[in-house]
Structure formats: C-alpha cells, structure tokens
Amino acid sequence: MTATAFWLAGREATGETSFDVTSPWDGRVVAQVSVPSEAQVEEAVAAAHAVIDEFSATPAHVRAAALDHVSRRLAERTEEIAQLISAENGKPIKWARGEVGRAVSVFRFSAEEARRFNGGDAQRLDTDAGGTGRLGLTRRFPKGVVLGIAPFNFPLNLCAHKIAPAIAVGAPIILKPAPATPLSGLILGELLAETELPAGSWSILPVTNDRMPALVQDERLPVISFTGSDTVGYAIQQSVPHKHCTLELGGNAAAVVLGDWASEEDLDWAATRIATFSNYQGGQSCISVQRVIADASVYDRLTAKVVAAVEKQGTGDPSDDTTDVGPLVSEDAAKRVESWVDEAVAAGAKLLTGGKREGATYAPTVLADLPATATLAREEVFGPVLSLHRVDGEAEAFAAVNDSKFGLQAGVFTHDLQTAFRAHRALEVGGVIIGDVPSYRADQMPYGGAKQSGVGREGVRYAMDDYTYERVLVLTGLAL
C-alpha cells in the first residue's frame, strides 16, 4: 500500500516513515500515512513565517474564492469523504454525511466573512481639545501563524474550523490532525492545493502527538487553536503563557427537563432527543448529553421514555445506513468507558440499560442514582452513557447543572420565556439551548465554554476575531 502524502507549504510531500490508520470497527488498515521528517516540519514552519506579510496582504476576493472552491468541492465529493470519515473514525455513515455538510457550510461562511471582514471603524478624536484635526481608523491584522491542533471526533469539520477562519483573515496556518484520523484533514489539503493561495500559507502535517510540544514551543507560531482534552489543553497553555491560545476542552453537558414540559408529546420529544444525542458519534462529542436533570414531577415518566428510546439506538457496522451508534475510536477508549460504568455501579448507581462492551463498541447506557463521587459524575465520559437525576424545581435544577467543573453548553426543556431568560443568566456555560438538548451547534455561532471547558470561541467570525488584533491609524491635520 502506498503511503498517503501530506501537504507541505501547499505542495504534496512524503516522508521517510509512515503509520497505519485502522478502522475502529473491524481493525482493517484504511490507509498508510506518510510522516513528515523534522526537516520537513522546519520547512513548513519557515515557509509559513516567511509568507505572513504576503498572505495578510492577499486581496479578500482571492482568499474568498479559495474558500468557496473548497466548499464546492466538499459538496461534490460528499459521499466519498463521508465514507472516509466513517472508515477512519468509526462514525455511522449518516452522521459522517452530516459532518461533510457542516464543513461545506464552514468554508462557505468563511468565504462570506472574508469578503466583508474589516474588523474596524472610524473614530473622531476631536472630542477632546488635544485631538482636534485627528481621526482614528481601526483595522484588524493577523497575530501571526496559527498552529491548529484538531481532535479525532469530528476529523473533517473541526479541521475546517481551524483552517477556514485563518485563510479568511490571511493568517498562515499549520494544521496537526489527530493521528487516529488524519485522512479527512489531508483531503482538505488536496482541495486547497487546487486553489491559488500563496505557497506557505497552509500546511497539513500528520505528526505524532509526541512531536506536538516542539510545535507548541516554536516562537514562529504565536497563535494556538486547540480542541481536545482539558489535561492536554491546559498543559499547552501553561507551557506557553505568552502565546495566544484558544482552547475548546469539552464538558459533561446537561439536559434539564422542567415541570412545565409535562405533556406526553413533550416528554416523547425530550426522550427522543436525549437518546439520540447522548449516543450520536458514539457519545464522542463535547456537547453530547451526559446528564439529564429532571423535575420530580416528570422524572418517572421521562425515565421510562428515555430508556425505551435509548434501547432503540441501533449499534453495528458504521457503513450501514441503519446504524445509529458505531464503535468508539479505539478498544482502549471503550474499555475506559466500561471501567467508569462498572465503578459507578459498584458505588451504588442503578444500571437501567446497556453496560456491555464488545470490542470497541459500547452499548448505549443509562444510569440512575449516580453517586456524586463517581468519575462519571465529575468527568467527561466521551462515550454513549447518560445518567438521570431527580430535582425539585428550577433553582435546584440550575444548581445541579452548575455543580460541575465544566461549562460548555446546556439544554433546557421549558415552554416559559421567563424561565429561558433566567436560565441564560444563571447557567455557567457558553451556550444555553432552550427546548432542546445541549448538543445543538450552528457553525457560525460563537462556540466555547466557561470554567474548565476552555477559553476563547470557535465559530467562523469569532475565530477570525481571535486570530487577529486591532491596529489603530491616527490621521492628523484633517478638517473634520
């Protein structure tokens, strides 16, 4: 098998070594990926650093056209790329197709923003006598080369969220895809190579994780955009406190079902959404439903409906259109989830359904009476497991959501508008979704968390702001 090439300063390249990408479902080798040498990594970083001024000055229409091109080509190759995502990640094909669709939108949104982004305004300075005849103009400029570090769970779309905003503002980017799932990111390199972006403005380097610290420490890469675990993210931040770091670090998202969400139709809807989005992507989403916090008045009815809905979630071959839940990214990941569930049950949690592992696949699982000291209660499970919690009233429900070191997003099932605004004020999270689960994300909205869920915001326009800084121009001697 010929090793898949990587992308060095806009051109195809191969290294002297390679590694296998294997399917989490059946263990087959999906592809061999060529690994860049130390000299090739140095070449990519040097090229990105050298092209900063040229790329920043590239006309907006050129950058927008490149982004539009990638968006179109992704759409044209949807099925092929979805099959690739499913093969390397184990994601059910129907969810993989949805991920391609989201990446299409991310590049399209970025093209639109590139055309209108100026990031500044004009300001009168003669409001004070010393500013007579002066006008301030503010524009935004790239902070420098971006190091984008992407995770395995959305191997295409989260690479898109690193690359597309950087291109939109004219910031060179070096992307490090996850070693378990590099193929989707390398596809983006293939599409970018079809554009006229200047050499050095982007590279996609599938280096192993042990080589990441050297990139993080490189002074020519002043901006780091990382999505992954809180342990790794904060280690990065602490190692380079002088750099600008955006960290999206996950959570243990809660869905709150309040007493006014009480009809059979309401509870059916909530149960279906909870079951779907505690298990989609195998639960390997930072905003998958991990905790269900239900008012005592609806708890028993909701519990029965959630268990029934979860038991309808079909596991199996991710290439099958009927599969809802595929394998986790590896058998080790499934074993970790298994150990956490076993620990919780031994501590007194009630297993209502699931709790079984077969290879890398873990059955959709529901727990009740989860002890507060259990690992599952405190950490991000990143697997198809949810726990049910009974509370009395809104205040207790909101306090339960906030009783977490994480704060990414929360969902609140309520019909009351005043309650919705109280939730928005009270909940210590980056996003509150009313009438649905916390798992909703629109790729153009600001996305990020509070507390240990990270710092900064993704979402096309918000990442563009994050990659740039304001620079003021003062004009003197004007007749204003």
Side-chain angles (χ1 to χ4, degrees):
M1 180 183 294
T2 302
T4 301
F6 54 86
W7 298 92
L8 195 166
R11 73 176 193 279
E12 201 169 18
T14 56
E16 296 177 356
T17 62
S18 64
F19 63 89
D20 291 341
V21 177
T22 58
S23 165
W25 170 245
D26 56 16
R28 77 184 189 279
V29 176
V30 177
Q32 286 184 328
V33 173
S34 190
V35 180
S37 66
E38 296 292 347
Q40 288 171 318
V41 171
E42 168 58 28
E43 183 181 346
V45 174
H49 184 70
V51 83
I52 290 172
D53 290 342
E54 178 187 352
F55 194 34
S56 176
T58 301
H61 72 86
V62 174
R63 288 179 272 117
L67 293 162
D68 274 331
H69 173 83
V70 175
S71 180
R72 285 194 302 271
R73 294 287 285 136
L74 286 171
E76 291 167 1
R77 297 174 62 178
T78 292
E79 188 61 25
E80 171 201 348
I81 297 171
Q83 294 286 349
L84 187 67
I85 292 171
S86 184
E88 69 172 342
N89 173 275
K91 183 173 299 192
I93 188 64
K94 63 183 179 183
W95 291 112
R97 293 186 185 111
E99 181 174 349
V100 179
R102 289 180 61 186
V104 168
S105 295
V106 169
F107 278 92
R108 186 181 74 250
F109 295 151
S110 296
E112 294 166 355
E113 291 291 352
R115 290 186 173 95
R116 59 176 169 252
F117 183 75
N118 56 41
D121 56 18
Q123 183 179 22
R124 299 188 68 114
L125 301 178
D126 61 355
T127 51
D128 182 84
T132 300
R134 298 179 188 266
L135 179 71
L137 295 176
T138 303
R139 295 165 62 196
R140 298 190 73 90
F141 294 87
K143 293 173 179 173
V145 182
V146 177
L147 171 61
I149 305 171
F152 68 82
N153 57 326
F154 289 86
L156 180 73
N157 196 44
L158 291 182
C159 286
H161 270 286
K162 308 299 183 192
I163 293 172
I167 291 174
V169 298
I173 181 164
I174 291 176
L175 177 76
K176 180 201 171 299
T181 57
L183 304 177
S184 302
L186 293 172
I187 283 284
L188 292 178
E190 183 180 330
L191 303 183
L192 286 167
E194 298 170 353
T195 72
E196 297 181 358
L197 295 175
S201 58
W202 59 273
S203 291
I204 299 176
L205 305 179
V207 298
T208 52
N209 286 340
D210 62 310
R211 295 172 61 189
M212 183 173 69
L215 284 168
V216 168
Q217 294 290 335
D218 197 304
E219 294 297 331
R220 294 166 295 179
L221 309 177
V223 179
I224 299 173
S225 178
F226 172 84
T227 302
S229 74
D230 57 331
T231 301
V232 176
Y234 284 124
I236 288 172
Q237 186 184 52
Q238 290 165 10
S239 72
V240 285
H242 58 292
K243 290 193 177 189
H244 180 86
C245 294
T246 297
L247 307 175
E248 198 283 277
L249 305 179
N252 54 1
V256 176
V257 183
L258 294 175
D260 69 309
W261 199 272
S263 71
E264 294 301 312
E265 183 179 5
D266 282 346
L267 294 178
D268 284 341
W269 164 257
T272 298
R273 298 294 285 176
I274 288 166
T276 299
F277 288 97
S278 64
N279 296 294
Y280 85 127
Q281 327 289 338
Q284 297 170 124
S285 167
C286 299
I287 46 177
S288 65
V289 181
Q290 184 169 332
R291 298 181 292 154
V292 178
I293 298 166
D295 188 83
S297 63
V298 298
Y299 179 89
D300 290 336
R301 287 188 295 147
L302 177 68
T303 296
K305 291 176 183 292
V306 166
V307 171
V310 167
E311 290 177 342
K312 292 178 182 178
Q313 294 286 303
T315 60
D317 185 345
S319 67
D320 187 332
D321 282 336
T322 65
T323 296
D324 300 305
V325 185
L328 274 68
V329 71
S330 68
E331 187 169 354
D332 284 345
K335 287 179 178 178
R336 178 191 55 76
V337 173
E338 180 182 42
S339 70
W340 287 14
V341 173
D342 290 348
E343 175 204 55
V345 172
K350 293 180 181 177
L351 180 65
L352 302 184
T353 191
K356 297 178 181 178
R357 180 182 65 83
E358 184 175 349
T361 299
Y362 197 79
T365 297
V366 181
L367 299 167
D369 300 332
L370 180 66
T373 55
T375 304
L376 273 170
R378 296 179 285 105
E379 302 294 339
E380 180 179 42
V381 63
F382 229 56
V385 180
L386 67 86
S387 58
L388 291 156
H389 306 263
R390 186 195 304 263
V391 294
D392 289 313
E394 173 190 309
E396 189 174 329
F398 292 170
V401 174
N402 289 339
D403 186 20
S404 171
K405 67 180 181 180
F406 296 113
L408 189 48
Q409 292 197 161
V412 180
F413 289 89
T414 181
H415 293 292
D416 186 81
L417 185 60
Q418 293 296 330
T419 300
F421 277 96
R422 286 195 296 271
H424 195 213
R425 177 176 292 277
L427 297 180
E428 298 166 353
V429 295
V432 178
I433 314 300
I434 300 298
D436 206 350
V437 291
S439 315
Y440 175 78
R441 177 184 179 182
D443 290 289
Q444 71 272 39
M445 78 183 195
Y447 177 76
K451 300 189 284 189
Q452 292 186 34
S453 284
V455 294
R457 290 295 181 268
E458 293 183 347
V460 172
R461 174 57 191 267
Y462 304 91
M464 291 168 68
D465 285 342
D466 212 46
Y467 290 166
T468 57
Y469 70 98
E470 291 179 320
R471 187 184 298 168
V472 178
L473 173 69
V474 176
L475 301 175
T476 305
L478 302 178
L480 298 177

